Every structure is written in C-alpha cells, then in structure tokens.
Amino acid sequence: KQEVTQIPAALSVPEGENLVLNCSFTDSAIYNLQWFRQDPGKGLTSLLLIQSSQREQTSGRLNASLDKSSGRSTLYIAASQPGDSATYLCAVRGSTLGRLYFGRGTQLTVWP
Amino acid sequence: SAVISQKPSRDICQRGTSLTIQCQVDSQVTMMFWYRQQPGQSLTLIATANQGSEATYESGFVIDKFPISRPNLTFSTLTVSNMSPEDSSIYLCSATPGQGIETQYFGPGTRLLVL
C-alpha cells in the first residue's frame, strides 16, 4: 500500500523567506503527483501536477520537483507572503484516473 | 478545470439520523470520489463513484453506512447513515475530468457535527 509522508508537519517563518516542503512516498510506481493547498475551513486547491515522466513544474512563485526513483518531491515557495499561510498537501496517484494517496500535510504560517 | 459545489456546507445532526450530501460539478467528469477528513488528519478515501455502476468502497467503509449515488456525469450524493459522534468530520467531494485532464479537483467540503 502506498504511504505518503510530509516533512515538516508545521513551519512558521517571517515573510520573504524561501521555503522547501518535502514529500516522500513508498511506492515509486506512480502515475503522477499533485500538490494542493487547503485553507482553514475550505476545500483543496490544486497547485501543481507533475506527471511521472516530468522532473518539475512551475507556477509563479511555486516550483515542484519530482524524483520518482527515490520516491521524493519538493515544493519550493519563493519569497513567501502571509497569504501563503495554509496547509500544503502532497498526493500521489498510482494509475490513470486512479485514487490519490495523501500525506498529512505541512501547516505553513508566514508572519509579516 | 472543474468547479465543484457541495450542499449543505455544514450541518449539526442528532445521533441515529442520516444526512445526504450533494455534489454538483459544472462539467461532465469521468471519476468522482468521496473523502473524509477528520480533525487534524489528512484525507481518507471513502469510495469511488462511477456513473452507471456501484461505488467502489475502501477498506473500513461499507455501503450500508455510506450509500452513494452517481446518476449522471455531473452529480453524486453521499449519505451518512445512522450517525454517531464519530462521524463528525469534513466530507469532501472530488472529481477528475478524464479525457486528458488528470488534475483532481475538490469541492469546498461539508462540515458535519453529530451530537
């Protein structure tokens, strides 16, 4: 069974810092990996999706990398802002249109 | 992309009663999923809802407790039956459009409190 781990569980930083959130998974035979953001009391917002054949994806200040062979992904947030405060979830999919396996998330707080 | 809405957004229910949560997608989607997120925890998949067939339940979840309907390609319901306080959670509907679009989208969730 696929297991997804996210480190750290929580992170509190002043604004302006560059951040790295880590995600690891036990079964490297994934189809794709998706990073989500969840604000308190809200649903999940998709940030980036990386196919298993890709090494990274970028969107604005966010960059996600994937090393499938070692079972790792990182989400890099540049020049963090208070509006980035949220829980960030990593999820992997084992097959096309299959279910997602989620990590427990990293709770990020960026203070002014 | 797909925009997903859920009703109700929140509810407080008495134990022993049932609640049906509705999930509406603004476009036709191939796969729909129902997740539960208990306080402080990550998401747990309850079942996969396919149009025209029975839902597929994950280990620990049964149809009698969580009956699901998927009458068409844009709509699904999840019923939480015979509720107990342990069912207090956020229930999230999710969908993957398919046909080359593999991003999974989520609804805003339904916050359920069972007294």
Side-chain angles (χ1 to χ4, degrees):
Chain A
K1 179 186 172 184
Q2 179 73 270
E3 292 186 5
V4 181
T5 303
Q6 291 187 244
I7 295 173
L11 187 60
S12 180
V13 299
E15 71 175 312
E17 287 207 358
N18 300 322
L19 309 172
V20 176
L21 308 183
N22 296 293
C23 171
S24 62
F25 44 95
T26 55
D27 185 353
S28 62
I30 65 169
Y31 186 76
N32 60 36
L33 182 147
Q34 201 165 347
W35 282 92
F36 294 90
R37 167 185 173 140
Q38 185 174 31
D39 293 282
K42 302 287 182 63
L44 277 67
T45 301
S46 178
L47 297 173
L48 291 164
L49 181 146
I50 309 178
Q51 299 292 354
S52 62
S53 59
Q54 297 175 323
R55 298 284 295 189
E56 65 178 336
Q57 281 287 337
T58 298
S59 175
R61 294 183 293 109
L62 304 179
N63 175 275
S65 66
L66 174 63
D67 184 343
K68 198 175 86 160
S69 61
S70 67
R72 294 181 183 181
S73 177
T74 60
L75 178 66
Y76 178 81
I77 303 175
S80 59
Q81 302 171 357
D84 295 331
S85 298
T87 297
Y88 290 80
L89 293 160
C90 166
V92 298
R93 173 176 280 142
S95 63
T96 180
L97 301 181
R99 61 161 295 173
L100 288 175
Y101 293 87
F102 280 87
R104 287 174 167 262
T106 294
Q107 186 174 357
L108 173 65
T109 302
V110 182
W111 38 277
Chain B
S1 67
V3 178
I4 302 176
S5 59
Q6 288 183 232
K7 290 181 182 179
S9 59
R10 60 177 63 226
D11 208 343
I12 301 173
C13 301
Q14 297 297 320
R15 74 169 64 212
T17 62
S18 298
L19 176 71
T20 295
I21 303 169
Q22 298 179 6
C23 176
Q24 180 73 55
V25 190
D26 69 343
S27 57
Q28 293 186 346
V29 293
T30 303
M31 307 292 289
M32 294 185 76
F33 306 87
W34 286 97
Y35 288 84
R36 182 173 73 182
Q37 186 177 30
Q38 294 179 305
Q41 303 295 315
S42 190
L43 280 74
T44 300
L45 181 65
I46 297 171
T48 301
N50 299 316
Q51 194 261 337
S53 64
E54 293 282 337
T56 303
Y57 289 82
E58 295 297 306
S59 176
F61 297 95
V62 295
I63 187 171
D64 290 345
K65 175 67 176 177
F66 297 102
I68 287 171
S69 78
R70 175 93 194 266
N72 57 51
L73 292 174
T74 63
F75 187 79
S76 177
T77 66
L78 169 74
T79 299
V80 186
S81 303
N82 189 23
M83 289 184 284
S84 67
E86 292 70 36
D87 294 320
S88 298
S89 188
I90 300 173
Y91 292 85
L92 293 145
C93 173
S94 177
T96 300
Q99 299 174 1
I101 303 173
E102 296 168 342
T103 300
Q104 193 157 335
Y105 298 95
F106 282 79
T110 295
R111 287 181 168 272
L112 172 61
L113 176 63
V114 184
L115 302 177

